[in-house]
Amino acid sequence: MTDSSELARHWRYAELPGVDLLRARYVRKTFVRHTHENFVIAAIADGAEVFHHGGSDQYAGAGALALVNPDTPHTGRAGVPEGWRYGAVYPAPGLVAAIAAETTTLRGTPGFVSPVLDDPYAVGLVHQVLRAADEGNALAADTLLRVAVTRLLRLNGGPLPQREVRTAGARIAARARAVLEERMAGPPTLERLAEDLGTSPFALLRAFRDAYGMPPHAWLTDARVRRARRLLDAGTTPAEAAVEVGFTDQPHLNRHFARIVGVPPGAYQRERKNVQDARGGLLVPSESWQNRQLAQTYARTAQESRTTWESPTPPSYGTPSASGSP
């Protein structure tokens, strides 16, 4: 059952290439175990979120950020009865790496050390990025995003460990993953897959979970949704995308898509088709407004920043999060 107050908007802004944007309010929403190709920087405005990450549950309340590195399995659910309201940006790994190289001393592939960081100021920055994108203010959106990522890397950044395929189990898991990617629409059974790879079903299951943090069937669902997103971005209809990635029909895609992305595929695609301001036309605030906003970004205290993203005028949250509409 879904709470009628649950709303979410998942979109892109043309002037922030490689960055997904999300604004949502969830109460009973549950995200299944999944991964993202991009970083997750989720700023909690109200309530609390609990997400399983790295073998334990993590708690992020108002004024904190949930930070997830690319390809890291995690879940998500409400941490309090009233749910949680948050805004999130999903920058591509290449963008984060470029910012780290320019503004930090981090070496190797940069990432976040802790999955939760209490920092109301950074939370405010994330919500200002979303607001600037809503208002079509490219200068502010780009600047604020870079300031936010730099701050988070300086406070909570470190080199990501390199995943090396050395053990026999890891090599088998990698081969199994390649087979599933190639045969996404018609995958073999676990027994057949193990037989083809010269191992046993349970040995393959253990190796795959050790390597990718989830069993093959869960990984396949996650991979199907990822590919469906790319197809939807390219203009494929939800019904066609569902069949192409191996789901039985569009309702099957709808169900899994909403449990991973947070919105149904139809709403997702509608936002992607119009990456400019949803109200039509690109709004460009005056130069004095831009200068004032950017100056405030650097001068505002943490408490003032918190006031900004708790504005009594609520932003647009988009469509009901669990709508089954195509």
Side-chain angles (χ1 to χ4, degrees):
M1 181 177 179
T2 311
D3 192 288
S4 60
S5 67
E6 293 193 338
L7 297 171
R9 182 187 178 203
H10 195 296
W11 82 105
R12 274 193 173 181
Y13 176 44
E15 301 301 326
L16 291 180
V19 182
D20 286 335
L21 307 171
L22 175 70
R23 188 182 280 127
R25 181 173 64 245
Y26 296 127
V27 179
R28 304 191 186 194
K29 181 74 173 179
T30 299
F31 288 92
V32 297
R33 196 165 182 80
H34 66 285
T35 63
H36 295 275
E37 294 177 298
N38 289 2
F39 283 88
V40 178
I41 301 175
I44 312 300
D46 293 307
E49 179 188 13
V50 174
F51 59 105
H52 195 78
H53 176 287
S56 61
D57 282 344
Q58 306 291 332
Y59 179 96
L65 300 107
L67 304 170
V68 182
N69 295 317
D71 297 314
T72 302
H74 61 286
T75 63
R77 69 180 191 277
V80 291
E82 59 269 28
W84 78 107
R85 179 172 65 88
Y86 70 113
V89 294
Y90 302 81
L95 175 59
V96 173
I99 293 173
E102 184 178 358
T103 63
T104 76
T105 59
L106 293 176
R107 295 294 177 264
T109 303
F112 299 124
V113 175
S114 173
V116 176
L117 179 67
D118 289 314
D119 186 1
Y121 184 75
V123 166
L125 287 174
V126 171
H127 285 273
Q128 289 176 58
V129 172
L130 298 174
R131 179 166 299 196
D134 263 342
E135 295 174 343
N137 188 343
L139 176 61
D142 190 22
T143 302
L144 292 163
L145 176 68
R146 292 173 186 276
V147 171
V149 171
T150 298
R151 178 179 177 87
L152 294 174
L153 288 173
R154 288 176 175 174
L155 293 175
N156 188 40
L160 292 178
Q162 298 300 310
R163 178 178 289 157
E164 298 183 14
V165 182
R166 289 184 175 178
T167 67
R171 288 193 294 270
I172 289 175
R175 290 168 58 196
R177 173 174 170 163
V179 171
L180 294 177
E181 286 179 332
E182 183 179 351
R183 300 177 57 184
M184 185 172 290
T189 64
L190 180 65
E191 182 177 10
R192 180 59 183 270
L193 181 59
E195 181 182 343
D196 290 345
L197 296 175
T199 187
S200 70
F202 281 104
L204 173 58
L205 180 59
R206 287 192 299 270
F208 202 97
R209 294 183 67 168
D210 288 344
Y212 302 113
M214 60 182 80
H217 72 277
W219 180 91
L220 179 60
T221 297
D222 189 40
R224 282 172 166 170
V225 169
R226 281 193 186 191
R227 186 171 294 181
R229 287 182 62 176
R230 289 193 284 270
L231 291 170
L232 293 171
D233 288 344
T236 304
T237 68
E240 292 170 337
V243 174
E244 187 164 338
V245 302
F247 289 119
T248 54
D249 51 25
Q250 186 177 334
H252 193 195
L253 170 63
N254 287 358
R255 183 167 65 255
H256 290 292
F257 199 96
R259 294 171 68 193
I260 289 177
V261 181
V263 296
Y268 171 90
Q269 188 177 57
R270 284 192 294 273
E271 290 286 358
R272 312 293 266 206
K273 285 181 177 178
N274 181 15
V275 294
Q276 301 294 353
D277 187 89
R279 290 162 293 189
L282 185 61
L283 304 181
V284 182
S286 67
E287 182 178 354
S288 62
W289 184 93
Q290 294 178 1
N291 292 337
R292 185 170 65 253
Q293 287 296 106
L294 295 179
Q296 290 174 350
T297 297
Y298 293 95
R300 185 179 289 121
T301 63
Q303 181 58 41
E304 288 172 331
S305 178
R306 183 180 177 87
T307 300
T308 297
W309 52 264
E310 288 182 347
S311 169
T313 303
S316 170
Y317 281 82
T319 57
S321 66
S323 168
S325 62

